[in-house]
Amino acid sequence: MELKIRPINIIPNYITHPEGSVLIELGNTKVICNASIEDRVPPFMRGQNKGWITAEYAMLPRATEQRNIRESSRGKVGGRTMEIQRLIGRALRSVVNLELIGERTIWIDCDVIQADGGTRTASITGAFVALVLACGKLVEEEKVSQLPITDFLAAISVGVSPDGEVVLDLDYEQDSSADVDMNVVMTGAGEFVEIQGTGEEATFSYDQLQKMLQAAQAGIEQLFTVQLEVLGDLADQIGVQVAKETEEEK
Amino acid sequence: MELKIRPINIIPNYITHPEGSVLIELGNTKVICNASIEDRVPPFMRGQNKGWITAEYAMLPRATEQRNIRESSRGKVGGRTMEIQRLIGRALRSVVNLELIGERTIWIDCDVIQADGGTRTASITGAFVALVLACGKLVEEEKVSQLPITDFLAAISVGVSPDGEVVLDLDYEQDSSADVDMNVVMTGAGEFVEIQGTGEEATFSYDQLQKMLQAAQAGIEQLFTVQLEVLGDLADQIGVQVAKETEEEK
Amino acid sequence: MELKIRPINIIPNYITHPEGSVLIELGNTKVICNASIEDRVPPFMRGQNKGWITAEYAMLPRATEQRNIRESSRGKVGGRTMEIQRLIGRALRSVVNLELIGERTIWIDCDVIQADGGTRTASITGAFVALVLACGKLVEEEKVSQLPITDFLAAISVGVSPDGEVVLDLDYEQDSSADVDMNVVMTGAGEFVEIQGTGEEATFSYDQLQKMLQAAQAGIEQLFTVQLEVLGDLADQIGVQVAKETEEEK
Amino acid sequence: MELKIRPINIIPNYITHPEGSVLIELGNTKVICNASIEDRVPPFMRGQNKGWITAEYAMLPRATEQRNIRESSRGKVGGRTMEIQRLIGRALRSVVNLELIGERTIWIDCDVIQADGGTRTASITGAFVALVLACGKLVEEEKVSQLPITDFLAAISVGVSPDGEVVLDLDYEQDSSADVDMNVVMTGAGEFVEIQGTGEEATFSYDQLQKMLQAAQAGIEQLFTVQLEVLGDLADQIGVQVAKETEEEK
Amino acid sequence: MELKIRPINIIPNYITHPEGSVLIELGNTKVICNASIEDRVPPFMRGQNKGWITAEYAMLPRATEQRNIRESSRGKVGGRTMEIQRLIGRALRSVVNLELIGERTIWIDCDVIQADGGTRTASITGAFVALVLACGKLVEEEKVSQLPITDFLAAISVGVSPDGEVVLDLDYEQDSSADVDMNVVMTGAGEFVEIQGTGEEATFSYDQLQKMLQAAQAGIEQLFTVQLEVLGDLADQIGVQVAKETEEEK
Amino acid sequence: MELKIRPINIIPNYITHPEGSVLIELGNTKVICNASIEDRVPPFMRGQNKGWITAEYAMLPRATEQRNIRESSRGKVGGRTMEIQRLIGRALRSVVNLELIGERTIWIDCDVIQADGGTRTASITGAFVALVLACGKLVEEEKVSQLPITDFLAAISVGVSPDGEVVLDLDYEQDSSADVDMNVVMTGAGEFVEIQGTGEEATFSYDQLQKMLQAAQAGIEQLFTVQLEVLGDLADQIGVQVAKETEEEK
């Protein structure tokens, strides 16, 4: 069981307009992750003195080997896209103190410009950095009192190959042939945020599940190292509030 | 940890037109599951001498406490619905020998007429029975040589309550307050088909994960008992082919 | 001319969440009719101190012999569906005192779970009962001073068979072969609310029209008997206000 | 009871491109009715050696006192429009010998350029003339052996005013205040093709129904006179085949 | 180079309901242009004490040689239509003093009932007259202090034929075969408002461009003559304010 | 009049999957232009032994200062987008020998990842290079006998500032304040392919038009220099066939 992920690179401040922006490269997968701050929340959240985080995900038509029809041309967003954007939004919200950001929406846009497997997990890992950068700007502009991020967050894919081996960080070819495909999202504290394991026309045993979780954890730790480096000083402010609260509770 | 699911009832042949039809009641959750056989496959499957299984899921507008706008009126199927129907289709395909059913599509329609938590897992559990009934008709009419079902299949939800307890088969109220929500789909052989665990604005530990999996397994066994009873003679034909093949391999 | 309708059965309080709910069975046709009360009116009705009643109608995909594509999947509601839901809404509004219900909308959902002819007329007949049940709840909760229902309401289909015979309450087979198809909605006082007679690629004479109206009236009286029984005490409150007003006018 | 309709004018060959085209003016209501011949039938009609007639209806945005949003801008055709186009198509098909026209579709487009009540009935009356003109061209070009029209066809609206009077050919103002609104489509032989009577928040008695039918018949006869004149020689060929067949049967 | 446009005819007050209405005929091209006044502006214009002018363009399905599918049936407005309606709106706004009309929207509807080339330029030329008529009504009703029109406006098409000749006011046949197609919108003062020249699978030289502009100018002057005549007294009020302002500046 | 465009940079082979791909940077405007080859043509082109070129254009939601809603979420492509993609396709087709490429479609995708004015002209300039790269691959793979490109192609924007000055290559700020905005597309031979000049709520004189065309020509020559350099050897094959044909004609 190989426990090393593909080469990873996160370029901060990639696009100039967004409050937070990164290009994340995981092997040949490349995703632009932008975080935009809007000074209001969607109708269902109004008057709760809380913020909201929502995500959108898309691929350029030729991010893939075969050209895909644009969802704007189809006139609707497909099921796979919806699943992914719901996952990204949910995952990010789990490490944000929504009360702290006030009645604001942070829009996360993950646009895959080149795809080679793992686009949804790379999106989460990159979007987390874009989100922290955007929140850093809120702190800088004194719109919020402290960084509203409670912990690090990253995601990786694992799978089971047709010969029964557990594989970490599958590229497109590995993913296409795998029997089982699992996406794992974890926090810096080692807690799970999301586990989605699926055996398309196949199944997996309890033992294989344990091995996949282990591999995922090893991969995610490598992602945290890169996030930490890219975020610099901002990294130190993550979870500070949580630490303080825990302190006070004692 | 309470390891008993809510009262379960499966009424076979509920609607007269479909090839397979059941009403499944799990506590106050009621779902009509119909299986329809169409003598052709979708374009992307043509010429492969294989069948296909696809699922659709919907709720009556007033299946819930608050009336929901119909998706036909909105003009599009929502993200939650798409996620669920993709899950149901994927799960069912994992226990069907698609070569055996030939170039046919089996449409699974799960229509929730009353909702009280666990509608997606009840849909899978009920749809499996409707699917077997429809396949039984194919055997009866000698369109296929044997029942193309390789194993039993059922699903249940588990979660973690705000006080950290693992809860099995959550009703709507429990589900709304739970920190973690997990859906588990398993086969009669005890293999996993799908695990979807999610902590909306919360996380869960490795230990909690293990306990949830254990509870899910206990719940699913109770579902198998009811499926077995309802299916009668057809139950004996499930997996027979698999057994024979395994035999021959020896 | 046979003047008896098919066996009819109305099960009140069929689904737990709606303010009014029935399952109506007319022969093999089965429709769930739910009435939901919303405490506001659509924009075009605001500020008029009146309520509104609106209806939606749908079929489960496999309510019919052949599976129909869901209208949510098509992305639009078809012409036939629109015609039917406009008819149901219009018919019900003719026996409701909209001023009495105040600025509320009553949503009527008619979902056909099994179809064998006459689904639109069964929907009206069943929806009337669901509506009265919902209004009864408004009275019970003292939100309205009295039952805002001015009269009984029911509907039936009649037709002319290819041999020129008038037929009452056509099932799917009769309906498919009929030359003329007519739906009649009447009140308890014997007034017409709606007559829709149509000869698809055929015509009908004045004499046939008279015979169809007569048959319809005979059928509708049978429906009133069942409604009366199901509604129990509530039946006595129907039209009371009308009677009083007529009294006062004298 | 006034039994005279508003001034009526039918201008044949109004637009140059269509195979059949008229402008019909009924009082201040003006409708362009075009008939287009297409040399194939819709999928559900293929291989039956029969033709098909289908109708579309629309209003210019400012045909009415208040500007209406275009249905193309809304992105969907409304319920009222669908009802009307289904009615027009059904009505016309009742007087056409579909076998005679072969595997062709005749598209009827009714575009209201100015509306003052009775647009759907004026559409039917005008569309019938456009249809005969188009069929005349088929005869002329020897694509069909004889005029495939079996009888004349026209439609008119009748209603009941708030003071209980029956009114013929309602203009917009009369229509808005009427308690009951009925559209009647009849053939030259005096048979009914369609009766749609509706009491929006009102009802009507058997006696009122009879009076409305009588008035409608009187109005429709006036329309036939104008159609006869406009159609000239073509009028003589209507129903000839029917007459011959009846003759032969004797 | 022929510098005469096709016979042109503008019938004012063609439809009764709109505030301004004309039928414009340019050769065999016929367009109904209606101007409707609404007493509010779109959201993006609110609170600016200015008006807005927006245009919609459509063709009857059989305005053309081949029947076109309605955009309402397609469920969306096509690219060509959008381009044209944006062009019409932009062109008209260039000769309107939007401050003068106050917070009102003027809707321009151009509906082509018969097409033979030049429908978009005929729409602009006709819409200008309808717009002036509608604004005249605003003056008449003393809702605005003076006619808010700063200059005349008309448009014409020019092109280059396959033999390199410049052609003015192309009909459908000429337009289909032309190598280059250019639409020119000009004001009474001889200024350009819009130039759109396009060589579909062809190009054009600087010299050809100059000749096309010259021809367009000659054609537009002929249109101004007709507009002037149709507008009568209103024509004298066009640009009066501009003249006064220029005067005062001296 | 400043006749220098902003710094320009074209990175070839930017994305790995497409047959042709560039990133074009014009000042702060950045567009990914991908060319994809599909081995069939759209239905309206079949059987003509010719190819087709079609373009799609989009912006990332946060390419701009304010976040834009995705067109996939809106469910439709906007008017501005349609106008731009029609322009790009038309422009490119003017320098391609469609017979030479055979029954193939070349899809051009222009995705703006950062916008600062001139996105449509940068798209054309970049897309031309991507198109040549893709066609080069067709030559390399011996699918076509020679490069089917007849000439260079580039586009630039010009305008008139509020003080009447002609401005070349407007950035977003200049574009927002300009009175007149013109896009010019030209070939290497100095011919015009497309001129679109528009004065939103303003007009321009004949003299200003001439100055704008002059400025545009100067700008486009600078773009040709960069295209030439990036294309290397492929540049030499552009128009070779044309030259040969001209030769032969002598």
Side-chain angles (χ1 to χ4, degrees), chain A residues 98-112:
Chain A
L98 294 171
E99 278 82 9
L100 261 185
I101 59 172
E103 292 222 346
R104 289 188 178 85
T105 300
I106 304 185
W107 291 83
I108 302 296
D109 287 293
C110 297
D111 285 90
V112 180

Side-chain angles (χ1 to χ4, degrees), chain D residues 38-229:
Chain D
E38 189 187 19
D39 282 333
R40 56 174 186 176
V41 286
F44 70 92
M45 291 288 297
R46 283 188 199 142
Q48 298 180 38
N49 275 318
K50 289 177 60 173
W52 187 245
I53 293 169
T54 189
E56 292 193 354
Y57 166 97
M59 278 200 187
L60 293 204
R62 199 58 196 286
T64 47
E65 186 50 41
Q66 299 297 315
R67 185 179 183 275
N68 293 301
I69 298 176
R70 277 173 203 274
E71 296 192 319
S72 57
S73 302
R74 284 188 200 273
K76 59 179 178 185
V77 175
R80 179 184 169 275
T81 298
M82 284 204 186
E83 243 176 69
I84 296 176
Q85 46 201 27
R86 283 159 58 92
L87 167 64
I88 300 171
R90 232 165 33 223
L92 293 175
R93 286 193 298 273
S94 72
V95 290
V96 176
N97 183 326
L98 295 172
E99 278 82 9
L100 260 185
I101 60 172
E103 293 222 345
R104 289 187 179 85
T105 300
I106 305 186
W107 290 84
I108 301 296
D109 287 294
C110 298
D111 286 89
V112 180
I113 62 174
Q114 192 169 286
D116 186 28
T119 63
R120 80 183 69 188
T121 50
S123 293
I124 291 171
T125 305
F128 174 75
V129 179
L131 173 66
V132 176
L133 292 175
C135 288
K137 205 154 286 181
L138 282 177
V139 175
E140 207 182 287
E141 297 172 354
E142 300 186 348
K143 289 181 174 167
V144 306
S145 58
Q146 56 182 306
L147 200 71
I149 308 293
T150 59
D151 202 346
F152 278 81
L153 183 89
I156 201 77
S157 75
V158 282
V160 179
S161 70
D163 57 9
E165 281 289 293
V166 164
V167 192
L168 173 62
D169 186 22
L170 297 78
D171 63 21
Y172 178 71
E173 211 183 296
Q174 292 171 319
D175 187 54
S176 304
S177 66
D179 274 358
V180 181
D181 182 27
M182 176 172 273
N183 294 295
V184 179
V185 189
M186 295 184 79
T187 64
E191 294 269 297
F192 294 105
V193 171
E194 189 100 23
I195 295 177
Q196 294 195 341
T198 186
E200 170 78 34
E201 301 177 30
T203 59
F204 53 101
S205 67
Y206 184 82
D207 183 53
Q208 286 173 321
L209 172 61
Q210 302 306 325
K211 280 192 188 139
M212 285 191 283
L213 293 173
Q214 228 177 300
Q217 190 160 7
I220 283 174
E221 267 155 32
Q222 296 162 51
L223 297 170
F224 285 148
T225 312
V226 180
Q227 287 181 337
L228 195 76
E229 203 174 300

Side-chain angles (χ1 to χ4, degrees), chain A residues 83 86 194 198 206 210, chain B residues 83 86 194 198 204 206 210:
Chain A
E83 243 176 69
R86 284 160 57 92
E194 189 100 21
T198 187
Y206 184 82
Q210 304 306 324
Chain B
E83 244 176 68
R86 283 158 59 91
E194 189 100 21
T198 188
F204 52 101
Y206 184 83
Q210 302 306 324

Side-chain angles (χ1 to χ4, degrees), chain F residues 39-64:
Chain F
D39 283 333
R40 57 174 186 175
V41 287
F44 71 92
M45 292 287 297
R46 280 184 202 146
Q48 300 181 35
N49 275 317
K50 287 175 61 172
W52 187 244
I53 294 170
T54 190
E56 292 194 353
Y57 166 98
M59 279 200 187
L60 294 203
R62 199 56 197 286
T64 48

Side-chain angles (χ1 to χ4, degrees), chain F residues 111-155:
Chain F
D111 286 88
V112 180
I113 62 173
Q114 192 168 287
D116 187 27
T119 61
R120 79 183 70 185
T121 51
S123 292
I124 292 171
T125 305
F128 174 75
V129 179
L131 172 66
V132 176
L133 292 175
C135 288
K137 206 155 285 181
L138 282 177
V139 176
E140 209 182 287
E141 295 172 355
E142 300 186 348
K143 289 181 175 167
V144 304
S145 58
Q146 55 181 306
L147 200 71
I149 308 293
T150 60
D151 203 347
F152 278 80
L153 184 90

Side-chain angles (χ1 to χ4, degrees), chain C residues 151-165:
Chain C
D151 202 347
F152 278 81
L153 184 90
I156 202 77
S157 75
V158 282
V160 178
S161 71
D163 56 9
E165 281 288 294

